[in-house]
Amino acid sequence: LAESAVLDVPHAGERAWVSFPGVFAAGRVDAGTRLLLGTVGALPEGASALDYGAGTGVIGAALEALGAARTTLLEPDALAAEAARRNVPGAEVVEAAGWAALEGRRFDVVVSNPPYHRGKAETVEPVLEFVGGLAGHLVEGGWARFVVQRRLPVEAPLRERFESVQVVADEGPFRVWEVGAPADGDPATGGAG
């Protein structure tokens, strides 16, 4: 059964929000996402944006409010994807896991709070898969910003793939990373590796 709440979505303001029991951060904006969105400003005109691991669509709603012309939400969980469709009706929702569902597609901006669980088990693998495919889904001159727990080992794989890697926020257990052009200058190859 769908649950409704009023959610204060960063950049988008208070709005009615749909969720379902058991969905990540149901009915609230989690601390990592709030930190991440606090670092994102207005998007370039005409920008295509991706929220990878979209959950109920909080990041996607913020991206639309920040000026994304086309917003795609990638979410593998059927209930979360249904909530995202209701919460961000102007976005394209792709109900699938991982980059394979977006093969051949590139975005100006990727903003994500990527999952670090498979089912109930905590694992770094989904985050490393996100990092591994990121360069191949950014347009030339595109950028990505994402939040992960600081203990997750993402710096080395990011530096292998990207010319520009920086921490833009570091608070509590979370770190927000920003990456730019791939290390070899070719967004199709994803740099080294």
Side-chain angles (χ1 to χ4, degrees), residues 75-144:
E75 174 53 48
D77 181 84
L79 288 176
E82 179 55 30
R85 282 184 192 90
R86 296 180 192 189
N87 293 325
V88 195
E92 172 193 15
V93 177
V94 178
E95 190 178 320
W99 291 112
L102 299 172
E103 188 171 340
R105 294 184 59 187
R106 302 205 187 306
F107 302 89
D108 297 300
V109 175
V110 175
V111 181
S112 179
N113 182 348
Y116 60 97
H117 286 86
R118 283 236 164 84
K120 293 187 186 280
E122 186 176 308
T123 174
V124 72
E125 290 307 313
V127 174
L128 295 178
E129 289 167 9
F130 166 74
V131 167
L134 186 53
H137 292 278
L138 287 173
V139 300
E140 186 175 342
W143 55 269

Side-chain angles (χ1 to χ4, degrees), residues 5 10 12 17 27 36 54 63 89 92 96 103 113-114 124 132-133 152 154 163 176 191:
W17 204 257
L36 169 67
L63 292 172
E92 172 193 15
E103 188 171 340
N113 182 348
V124 72
L152 298 181
V154 298
E163 212 170 273
V176 177

